[in-house]
Amino acid sequence: MSRPAFRAAVLALAAAAAAAGAMAQQPDTHKPVSPAESAYQAGTSPLAKEPMYQSTNPKAPPMTQAEFDLGRKVYFERCAGCHGVLRKGATGKPLTPDVTLPKGTDYLKVFIGYGSPAGMPNWLTSGEMDEKTVDVMARYIQQDPPQPPEFGMEQMKQTWKVIVPPEKRPKKKMNNYNIDNIFSTTLRDTGEIALIDGDSKKIINIVKTGYAVHISRMSASGRYLFVIGRDAKINMIDLWMPTPDNVAELRIGLEARSVETSKYKGYQDKLAIAGAYWPPQFVIMNGDTLEPLKIVATRGMTVGAQEYHPEPRVASIVGSHFKPEFVVNVKETGKTLLVDYSNLDALKITEIGSAPFLHDGGLDASKRYFMVAANQSNKIAAMDLKEGKLAAITEVGKIPHPGRGANFTHPKFGPVWATGHLGDETISLIGTDPVKNKANAWKVVQTLKGQGGGSLFLKSHPKSQRLYVDTPLNPDPKVSQTLAVFDIKNLDKGYQVLPVGEWAGIKDGGAMRVLQPEFNKAGDEVWLSVWSAKDKQSAIVVIDDKTLKPKAVIKDPRLVTPTGHFNVHNTQHDVY
């Protein structure tokens, strides 16, 4: 069929589809998403490379093995983030055969090609897919979903490597670096991190890691850096070595996002934990070798409807400072698990239900309360880690995405924790002091207006009087390449815009994005990534917190697609 004929056909089908109603009524938990949220969820999954069994559904349209393999690859590269590994639905609607088969191939071509107002991208008209790929995908989602392989203890042990045994590691710090002020910067598309000296602004080492490192976390002692990639590979880096580098590595699954270490007194550096997207599970490991010790599945019932979910992904993990517990947040079920690690042979887990889909979050300034975003419910849940219970659920803006959030003392309302949003321009300030400021606790005491939707991270520091908010997923380059700064003492004044992308001095950065403000240890500098495409120049811009002027620009051919960066001291002590 020619392109004009194809377009005519799909436009006719689109009109019929509109008259007949939407593809499927979304459950209440599935709300329309913004382009920023679609872009955020649609990142490539490492599962695209995993072989999977092709089941034959006699009711589905026929596919060759090559077509099925193409469909599987495209699905995990483009669709799984929204619709789930097993197509049960998450941010996006379910795409299982019971939903897709009654619609038929022609209808599905329209839906895939032209998108929907609820946030489905227009894959054909945007140029992201051609007609052949749209046709393959329309037939692919009518097939039974292929399930990726499980990943248990046997598979983990095969990936486990102790590169430098503990007994052969330094007995004291063997370098002259100010370790507390080292930054771990993710080089997303090269499978590396850059260790950067925060004092000299020089690169210490480029360390090979897993694919698209998602987060860096520190051991309680501040000696070991743990990073985890989307391919579920953990790298353990010893900062005491003459040149800090890998000392152990392990894969805990096929796709993952989170890693953390034991923080409670008496257990510092003893254990590590990581959570997987697939298989849905978390793994507790030896803290100095990454030897896997305990695997716990997260499959189970959702909050509210109490329906079984086959793939509840582990979104974020923090270590409690009040008890020997890991705080594990399970995305699809809307549950926070307080995992008591004092006895792995008799593991105790406290289950706290809040709202779906739990994503990221951080501790309040007292470190007693963990604030986690249920981003598809537009809520923040506060977990009391001392009492082991839900403290409150607070309604916020559209699709909260706080990162770790930001803590500061509001001049009127006392201690607050802040979150930005993917779906709107607001920044919600939530009171976090139920003792001295009881009337303000767990309420949005003030809503700030930022530059726009598409915010991923915001940050403050105990020694700063400013709040920094990024907007890297905003479709407007004037917004995505700049940074909003608020004066904490005069929040009603609004924000000041810093042209960070311009300060980077990159001549051809393409679709640059400025993201993830991170303070140095002293709290007088703010570091930002200027993230360009893999084949373009990127940079890190360092801003003076007092003058709001650029203090340094770090450029190096090795800084390829820098995204998140984590200061050792601030990460070690949960300062944000």
Side-chain angles (χ1 to χ4, degrees):
M1 182 183 290
S2 67
R3 177 173 284 272
F6 178 83
R7 285 183 171 172
V10 295
L11 286 172
L13 284 163
M23 176 183 167
Q25 293 297 319
Q26 284 190 346
D28 291 341
T29 52
H30 294 112
K31 300 182 180 181
V33 297
S34 65
E37 171 70 346
S38 295
Y40 176 72
Q41 295 287 0
T44 300
S45 166
L47 293 173
K49 299 178 181 178
E50 293 295 328
M52 299 176 199
Y53 174 71
Q54 177 185 359
S55 62
T56 302
N57 187 330
K59 297 181 180 179
M63 298 189 78
T64 66
Q65 184 65 50
E67 289 174 330
F68 182 85
D69 290 342
L70 173 62
R72 178 179 58 79
K73 179 176 182 292
V74 172
Y75 180 82
F76 284 103
E77 287 179 345
R78 303 285 191 179
C79 316
C82 286
H83 298 284
V85 170
L86 301 179
R87 307 210 304 260
K88 293 287 187 180
T91 304
K93 302 172 186 178
L95 293 177
T96 44
D98 60 310
V99 174
T100 55
L101 278 170
K103 303 302 175 184
T105 301
D106 288 337
Y107 180 98
L108 295 172
K109 284 183 182 180
V110 175
F111 189 74
I112 296 167
Y114 287 82
S116 78
M120 174 72 175
N122 53 324
W123 294 111
L124 177 69
T125 55
S126 68
E128 296 288 334
M129 293 184 190
D130 58 20
E131 293 170 13
K132 176 183 176 182
T133 305
V134 169
D135 176 68
V136 167
M137 295 310 297
R139 287 182 287 135
Y140 174 80
I141 60 175
Q142 296 176 74
Q143 309 290 326
D144 293 336
Q147 180 167 316
E150 299 295 318
F151 205 89
M153 186 63 74
E154 180 182 355
Q155 289 80 16
M156 287 183 205
K157 287 288 184 74
Q158 291 173 358
T159 72
W160 177 42
K161 296 178 183 178
V162 180
I163 300 164
V164 182
E167 63 273 15
K168 293 186 179 180
R169 296 173 195 166
K171 306 302 180 187
K172 61 180 181 179
K173 188 165 79 81
M174 300 296 290
N175 59 61
N176 294 321
Y177 299 115
N178 177 10
I179 288 179
D180 280 353
N181 204 35
I182 287 175
F183 286 76
S184 172
T185 296
T186 299
L187 306 181
R188 188 186 185 281
D189 292 342
T190 62
E192 299 168 325
I193 63 158
L195 295 177
I196 305 175
D197 181 0
D199 294 348
S200 68
K201 314 296 188 291
K202 302 291 186 182
I203 294 176
I204 296 169
N205 195 15
I206 302 293
V207 182
K208 289 290 182 183
T209 61
Y211 162 76
V213 164
H214 192 72
I215 196 168
S216 296
R217 297 297 288 164
M218 289 302 305
S219 66
S221 67
R223 173 176 181 173
Y224 292 112
L225 174 69
F226 295 79
V227 298
I228 189 165
R230 290 194 173 198
D231 58 358
K233 182 180 179 182
I234 304 170
N235 289 82
M236 181 179 178
I237 297 163
D238 186 356
L239 299 181
W240 280 13
M241 296 170 69
T243 301
D245 210 336
N246 286 314
V247 292
E249 63 181 49
L250 173 74
R251 282 192 77 185
I252 56 96
L254 300 177
E255 184 170 5
R257 295 293 188 277
S258 52
V259 67
E260 179 60 297
T261 65
S262 50
K263 299 289 180 68
Y264 187 65
K265 185 177 180 180
Y267 292 89
Q268 297 98 323
D269 293 24
K270 298 287 186 183
L271 296 170
I273 183 173
Y277 267 29
W278 188 271
Q281 62 192 27
F282 62 85
V283 182
I284 299 175
M285 299 154 282
N286 187 301
D288 62 2
T289 65
L290 294 182
E291 178 186 7
L293 304 174
K294 187 84 171 181
I295 304 172
V296 180
T298 55
R299 292 179 173 101
M301 313 308 285
T302 62
V303 295
Q306 298 193 50
E307 296 175 342
Y308 177 75
H309 202 291
E311 53 166 310
R313 298 173 285 182
V314 178
S316 57
I317 305 175
V318 298
S320 172
H321 296 265
F322 280 83
K323 296 178 183 179
E325 290 179 340
F326 292 121
V327 184
V328 178
N329 298 281
V330 186
K331 202 176 186 79
E332 280 74 16
T333 56
K335 294 177 180 178
T336 296
L337 309 178
L338 306 182
V339 181
D340 183 340
Y341 53 71
S342 60
N343 185 350
L344 297 187
D345 294 325
L347 197 68
K348 297 177 182 177
I349 299 178
T350 301
E351 178 183 290
I352 304 173
S354 56
F357 293 74
L358 295 183
H359 190 61
D360 54 355
L363 298 168
D364 80 309
S366 74
K367 298 182 174 58
R368 173 171 175 172
Y369 300 98
F370 179 69
M371 314 289 288
V372 60
N375 57 14
Q376 289 305 311
S377 301
N378 301 333
K379 294 178 173 67
I380 298 292
M383 306 294 171
D384 186 339
L385 303 187
K386 183 177 181 180
E387 298 295 331
K389 64 181 183 181
L390 177 69
I393 297 178
T394 306
E395 295 275 352
V396 291
K398 187 177 180 183
I399 315 172
H401 192 287
R404 292 296 183 188
N407 290 300
F408 60 91
T409 300
H410 192 285
K412 182 178 178 180
F413 300 111
V416 297
W417 178 89
T419 180
H421 300 86
L422 278 163
D424 65 35
E425 75 276 11
T426 65
I427 298 103
S428 298
L429 310 184
I430 301 172
T432 58
D433 181 7
V435 178
K436 296 181 179 179
N437 293 272
K438 187 176 181 179
N440 302 324
W442 320 129
K443 298 176 182 177
V444 176
V445 296
Q446 186 172 1
T447 300
L448 307 177
K449 184 177 180 180
Q451 290 200 83
S455 175
L456 288 181
F457 303 102
L458 73 175
K459 195 63 66 78
S460 189
H461 190 280
K463 295 182 181 179
S464 173
Q465 286 299 314
R466 303 187 193 276
L467 173 66
Y468 296 81
V469 185
D470 72 12
T471 42
L473 294 186
N474 193 283
D476 184 351
K478 293 180 181 178
V479 177
S480 63
Q481 297 180 11
T482 59
L483 185 73
V485 185
F486 292 85
D487 180 349
I488 290 172
K489 292 182 178 180
N490 192 6
L491 292 167
D492 292 334
K493 183 181 178 181
Y495 57 84
Q496 179 177 344
V497 177
L498 303 185
V500 178
E502 180 183 321
W503 288 342
I506 297 173
K507 293 182 180 179
D508 182 19
M512 296 187 301
R513 287 175 276 185
V514 170
L515 75 159
Q516 196 148 354
E518 172 73 326
F519 278 85
N520 63 344
K521 178 186 176 181
D524 58 10
E525 292 178 355
V526 179
W527 291 42
L528 290 128
S529 289
V530 181
W531 173 21
S532 302
K534 187 176 182 178
D535 60 346
K536 306 288 185 182
Q537 186 180 41
S538 293
I540 293 172
V541 173
V542 181
I543 298 170
D544 187 307
D545 179 61
K546 292 183 179 179
T547 66
L548 295 182
K549 300 296 183 183
K551 189 174 181 179
V553 177
I554 305 172
K555 292 180 181 177
D556 190 293
R558 296 172 292 174
L559 288 180
V560 178
T561 59
T563 53
H565 36 255
F566 304 84
N567 175 267
V568 165
H569 176 269
N570 296 339
T571 305
Q572 176 188 357
H573 297 285
D574 291 301
V575 175
Y576 29 81

